[in-house]
Amino acid sequence: MTDLSNSVIFPKGEKLESDNFSGNVWLNMIVPSQSKLGCPIYNVTFEPGCRNNWHKHPGGQILLVIGGRGWYQEEGKEARELRAGDVVEIPCNVKHWHGAAKDSWFVHLAIEANPKAGPVEWLEPVDDEAYGKLK
């Protein structure tokens, strides 16, 4: 397993204390919400097995995977494996989750598209049994 505990390109940032994640995650604001362009970009580092809860972005989201191996899943679809170089375009208000594989650190840049549409809507945790079946 590649050790990405210090992130990949950008500094790992601060450990995020949140009930919206299963496991440990670190967040570094690359472009803050208050930037002149209004397009926040976050560097997110997940420890192995960490994932976020199901959630929706009113304005959509883009993920740029920069290290490790992880998963992305939209409601009603199969989970998609993610590796460095993958790009995920998440349409507005699509229920989804993303996070690390059980055996790998996972780092992505998260770009909040059209943040003026409203804040993220956090939902229920990902089912442990369903996540456990992912290879």
Side-chain angles (χ1 to χ4, degrees):
M1 171 175 35
T2 303
D3 180 11
L4 301 178
S5 60
N6 289 316
S7 200
V8 179
I9 299 169
F10 301 101
K12 183 165 72 169
E14 300 297 320
K15 187 174 180 182
L16 184 63
E17 299 296 333
S18 173
D19 293 335
N20 296 315
F21 290 82
S22 298
N24 293 313
V25 63
W26 291 262
L27 181 67
N28 181 11
M29 291 292 300
I30 304 298
V31 178
S33 301
Q34 304 80 12
S35 76
K36 293 177 184 175
L37 295 177
C39 185
I41 302 175
Y42 310 83
N43 183 75
V44 187
T45 302
F46 298 81
E47 72 177 353
C50 178
R51 67 251 181 219
N52 52 31
N53 288 3
W54 289 96
H55 60 286
K56 299 176 184 180
H57 297 271
Q61 184 181 45
I62 300 169
L63 304 178
L64 306 174
V65 181
I66 58 175
R69 188 172 74 89
W71 296 99
Y72 167 78
Q73 184 176 18
E74 291 181 6
E75 184 177 43
K77 296 185 179 179
E78 294 293 319
R80 170 182 159 195
E81 184 179 33
L82 299 176
R83 294 187 178 270
D86 287 340
V87 175
V88 181
E89 293 183 53
I90 306 164
C92 302
N93 290 309
V94 168
K95 184 177 177 181
H96 68 283
W97 69 270
H98 38 98
K102 294 176 287 222
D103 61 351
S104 178
W105 286 84
F106 181 61
V107 184
H108 67 54
L109 296 179
I111 302 167
E112 189 177 344
N114 192 18
K116 291 179 182 176
V120 62
E121 178 185 355
W122 289 104
L123 305 164
E124 72 277 3
V126 173
D127 179 73
D128 287 336
E129 185 176 339
Y131 175 79
K133 291 178 181 176
L134 299 174
K135 307 263 183 203

